[in-house]
Amino acid sequence: MMEMTQTYTPEPGYFKRLSVVDWVYAVALVAAALFALNRFGGFMDYYEKAVLVLAAPTFACLGWHWKPVRSLIALLTVLALSAVALYGGALEMANQKFLLKYLLSSQSAILWMSMLFFLATLFYWIGLIARSETGYSIGSKLCWAAVVFGFTGMLVRWYESYLIGGDVGHIPISNLYEVFVLFCMITALFYLYYEQRYATRQLGPFVLLVISAAVGFLLWYTVSRDASEIQPLVPALQSWWMKIHVPANFIGYGTFSLAAMVAVAYLLKSKGYLMDRLPSLEVLDDVMYKAIAVGFTFFTIATILGALWAAEAWGGYWSWDPKETWALIVWLNYAAWLHMRLMKGLRGQVAAWWAVCGLLVTSFAFLGVNMFLSGLHSYGEL
């Protein structure tokens, strides 16, 4: 009898699996980066040019891995460039052009973001309580719309700062108002990624609660402190370190917060609540672990970058400033959580309660230090 042999066909390499659309997307990003470098390179230092050049392959890979990023980038490009065209180089156009005044100026776009996040939270909860796929679907679409308006507001605010003056212009991540917007964007994007990755929208009601809380604070802070006004950077923040330290930090804050809200869902299900309305405990545990792992990685990078920045700005890598001390506490908390997870197999309610408590520690490091303590990091007092 003839033996049947099975021929092994290796999977094509990563680049061979890419479609024509993937390559067109990547080429468009490279072309846009080269255009920006040619048009605005004279206003950039070497660091900014390097970031611009590296942004093209970075976002190309991100778009290959997660397809919705392509549409997001394309839409943000159209909206931001439309706002720039409407301004025509004059900041006073914000109150004269209809689309700027009610839609595309930074303040208008961020207000739209705030309203859409509140509505998304409402519809996610309608979906959970009524077991309504329509409610979940509307909530997800509203969340995406909020992300679009939030990033549009940040991009336009960046341009507006330069319209005020070349010495005022800066990336909008320098004060509490701006970083709260950044926090909302990062937390929402990571949630939307996990929503698609695990094919479930049942975590939306929980994650959107922490985003809505941040939006509520943002609106209060805007009204009570007139925080939406663009201010020049204080001398210590006039550094390229800020442009990488702050985003890395807030990826940590955002994913830690997401993990905590997933942990709340885990605790509810493990105690017999919402049993048929939440994903399995295994899925909840996996999302919680992956969110903390990602957050810890970026928070570690941010801490190292912060030490390098401190050495340049203040002459020492570490000064036990309250913000630094609490950042270390946050880092140690999640380092211990991951150690217990990987070395001791930490699972279940103990891990979930630990993640929830971690949110309290993170919140104090993020906001409480600004409220109750003072130190070298005094750039966003209440």
Side-chain angles (χ1 to χ4, degrees), residues 57-120:
T58 300
F59 283 101
C61 292
L62 184 58
W64 291 342
H65 178 69
W66 189 29
K67 306 300 184 185
V69 169
R70 302 176 185 181
S71 301
L72 177 62
I73 291 176
L75 191 53
L76 291 177
T77 300
V78 171
L79 292 174
L81 291 180
S82 297
V84 170
L86 288 169
Y87 270 113
L91 189 60
E92 57 269 19
M93 290 295 104
N95 293 319
Q96 298 177 20
K97 296 289 183 70
F98 179 86
L99 285 177
L100 286 176
K101 186 174 183 179
Y102 295 105
L103 194 67
L104 293 179
S105 69
S106 64
Q107 292 186 34
S108 297
I110 290 171
L111 285 174
W112 277 106
M113 175 207 77
S114 303
M115 182 194 71
L116 288 166
F117 271 136
F118 284 140
L119 289 175

Side-chain angles (χ1 to χ4, degrees), residues 173 183 327 382:
I173 51 173
F183 170 82
L382 292 179

